[in-house]
Amino acid sequence: MLMTLWLRLGAFLGKLLLWSLGLGVLGWALATAWFAWQQRGPVSAQELIPDGEAAMTQDIIQTAVRIVDQHRENTRYLRDAHAKAHGCVKAEVQVLPQLPDELRQGVFSEPGKIWQATMRLSNGNAYPQFDSIRDARGMAIKLFDVPGKQLLGDQLERGEQDFVMFSHPNFFVSNVAEYRQNVAAQADGKKVMAFFPGWDPRAWQVRHLFIALATLSPAPPSPTRTTYFSVSPYKFGAANAKFRVAPDPDSCPAYDLPEQNRKLPNFLRTALNQQLSTDRVPACFVLQIQRQDANKYMPIEDTSIEWRESDAPFETVARIKVPAQDFDTPALNLQCDNQSFNPWFGIEAHRPIGGINRLRRAVYEAVSDYRHDRNAEQ
Ligand code: HEM
């Protein structure tokens, strides 16, 4: 009797397992087909600004300032994002000497030209934490003495071109509306639930949750050993493009970074210090652009979509050299903290485009002004 019961239970569980597997595969196939159908070209090569974006932006500024206040570290006010720096280093950005004519745009107009620059390397989190914790890693580059009219009317004297990136190719939200909902939920302490804004399954952002989880990746061996993406698109002369900065060890002397102790809270700073200051070995990168082909699914208004390299390859436009240097001093670290990078510090040829970039225009300035004002009052 007991034996029969066991056999029946076994058969039932076996069937249940088979059905679950079958339904899982079917669900996966349907979802793949649905996304392939939804995500197909052509797309617009122009910006499409939805109604109400300006009001949503004001709302997001309030939340961002709330986050800065929440994460105040003792006396100093830090950035709302990428609060912890591994260091700011001097860099040289050289336009490729043999750059083809159609890639000679903006700061890349003159082949062979060398720009002096600064580069801030960071963790993505809103407050400083151990480097071993999964996170996005940031890279912000600022070219100096850039001629031409600056995009921001009140920053005409700057003469800068910034490139602001992190270590994942796509963003966990598509647009400003979704950013507003998600970041407000996060500021209220929600994490995974920020992607499930209500009971209606149509509003669940499962794909975006996976992007967020993938963005929070284990630390690289050093900030010089990972690739950084613009994520959002920019003008590149008349074209639209994304860009990225990737390690280019072949352009620098061979170097084996000694294994770092990952238990140390700031081992990424130590790794940078070891290479540039102790071992005096430069680090090299390439700066590459990926031009939009509007016949493919390469949208401007959705930062959650990675532009596929099979649709448009990345093309190298410049090489970056970070020379051996002593960057880790109290004075230079304070200067680094007080620096502001902003995708809108730049010239028309590299104008940021798309909703998330329009949002960043207002938010970076507001947060930067807020933390600078508060720190000046201390
Ligand atoms: C396209 C996706 C994005 C990328 C690649 C990115 C990357 C970065 C990086 C690397 C930094 C640090 C810059 C530095 O070293 O000083 C930064 C700072 C910051 N980000 Fe973003 N970010 C993105 C989207 C956003 C969005 C959507 C917002 C909010 C609207 C935002 C708000 C900020 C703020 C407020 C700062 C600090 C600005 C300051 O106080 O100087 N970011 N971001």
Side-chain angles (χ1 to χ4, degrees):
M1 173 71 185
L2 202 63
M3 189 65 160
T4 322
L5 210 65
W6 273 116
L7 284 174
R8 283 204 179 146
L9 187 67
F12 172 72
L13 288 176
K15 274 187 195 156
L16 194 69
L17 189 70
L18 275 178
W19 269 101
S20 311
L21 275 174
L23 284 175
V25 171
L26 186 69
W28 175 80
L30 284 174
T32 309
W34 166 250
F35 281 123
W37 182 76
Q38 256 198 337
Q39 301 182 356
R40 66 196 196 288
V43 294
S44 172
Q46 310 298 328
E47 288 185 273
L48 305 167
I49 306 178
D51 292 341
E53 199 175 86
M56 287 190 269
T57 300
Q58 288 313 311
D59 223 48
I60 292 167
I61 290 177
Q62 306 302 321
T63 314
V65 167
R66 183 148 66 97
I67 293 175
V68 173
D69 281 336
Q70 276 171 2
H71 298 309
R72 249 193 87 185
E73 190 202 53
N74 301 325
T75 56
R76 284 188 70 72
Y77 283 77
L78 302 174
R79 287 162 170 80
D80 158 65
H82 296 266
K84 178 177 176 178
H86 311 307
C88 279
V89 290
K90 286 197 192 92
E92 287 172 355
V93 178
Q94 181 174 31
V95 181
L96 220 60
Q98 320 75 10
L99 195 66
D101 276 355
E102 81 267 21
L103 295 180
R104 296 182 189 176
Q105 305 292 341
V107 295
F108 309 104
S109 297
E110 195 187 318
K113 157 115 189 141
I114 298 179
W115 297 99
Q116 297 305 316
T118 184
M119 175 190 281
R120 180 175 180 270
L121 296 151
S122 59
N123 282 346
N125 203 49
Y127 55 88
Q129 54 185 9
F130 277 43
D131 292 344
S132 55
I133 296 175
R134 295 176 80 98
D135 202 351
R137 317 292 154 176
M139 175 189 275
I141 301 175
K142 188 184 288 299
L143 307 191
F144 296 115
D145 300 322
V146 175
K149 189 165 173 276
Q150 292 278 304
L151 285 167
L152 298 182
D154 57 346
Q155 306 283 342
L156 293 180
E157 301 306 308
R158 276 194 175 265
E160 295 172 352
Q161 177 62 54
D162 288 6
F163 297 95
V164 185
M165 298 155 273
F166 65 60
S167 53
H168 198 71
N170 53 349
F171 202 37
F172 65 94
V173 298
S174 295
N175 52 36
V176 177
E178 204 183 309
Y179 188 86
R180 180 175 70 151
Q181 169 266 310
N182 192 294
V183 84
Q186 289 200 41
D188 288 339
K190 291 185 187 141
K191 288 195 158 60
V192 170
M193 288 318 285
F195 294 86
F196 299 94
W199 291 105
D200 183 350
R202 285 169 302 175
W204 295 352
Q205 301 144 13
V206 179
R207 191 176 68 83
H208 293 185
L209 172 62
F210 279 108
I211 297 174
L213 293 175
T215 306
L216 302 177
S217 53
S222 160
T224 62
R225 302 285 175 95
T226 191
T227 299
Y228 302 88
F229 302 83
S230 74
V231 182
S232 53
Y234 293 76
K235 295 306 294 181
F236 188 75
N240 303 319
K242 293 190 181 183
F243 56 85
R244 75 176 179 191
V245 167
D248 178 27
D250 292 346
S251 298
C252 268
Y255 176 63
D256 272 334
L257 176 73
E259 187 73 30
Q260 302 296 306
N261 178 357
R262 288 184 168 248
K263 292 195 181 115
L264 292 177
N266 309 322
F267 80 87
L268 288 174
R269 175 178 286 267
T270 316
L272 201 59
N273 204 311
Q274 166 113 39
Q275 177 170 358
L276 300 177
S277 309
T278 311
D279 297 337
R280 314 297 301 176
V281 180
C284 291
F285 298 90
V286 279
L287 199 162
Q288 302 179 313
I289 59 124
Q290 183 188 32
R291 285 180 286 172
Q292 184 197 35
D293 174 351
N295 288 316
K296 304 283 168 52
Y297 194 65
M298 302 173 79
I300 291 175
E301 297 292 344
D302 185 347
T303 38
S304 78
I305 302 297
E306 177 180 359
W307 290 1
R308 280 189 285 263
E309 284 188 61
S310 53
D311 286 341
F314 278 96
E315 301 164 287
T316 300
V317 290
R319 289 191 195 286
I320 304 173
K321 183 175 173 189
V322 180
Q325 59 192 284
D326 298 314
F327 65 92
D328 196 4
T329 69
L332 290 178
N333 288 331
L334 183 65
Q335 196 182 316
C336 180
D337 201 43
N338 282 333
Q339 187 71 263
S340 289
F341 295 86
N342 183 328
W344 287 86
F345 291 165
I347 56 174
E348 182 62 39
H350 306 299
R351 167 184 282 271
I353 52 174
I356 288 297
N357 271 338
R358 291 190 295 274
L359 168 67
R360 290 165 91 193
R361 176 179 182 147
V363 178
Y364 279 54
E365 206 169 13
V367 171
S368 174
D369 288 353
Y370 183 74
R371 69 183 171 87
H372 279 100
D373 289 351
R374 289 299 142 106
N375 287 333
E377 285 166 9
Q378 305 279 325

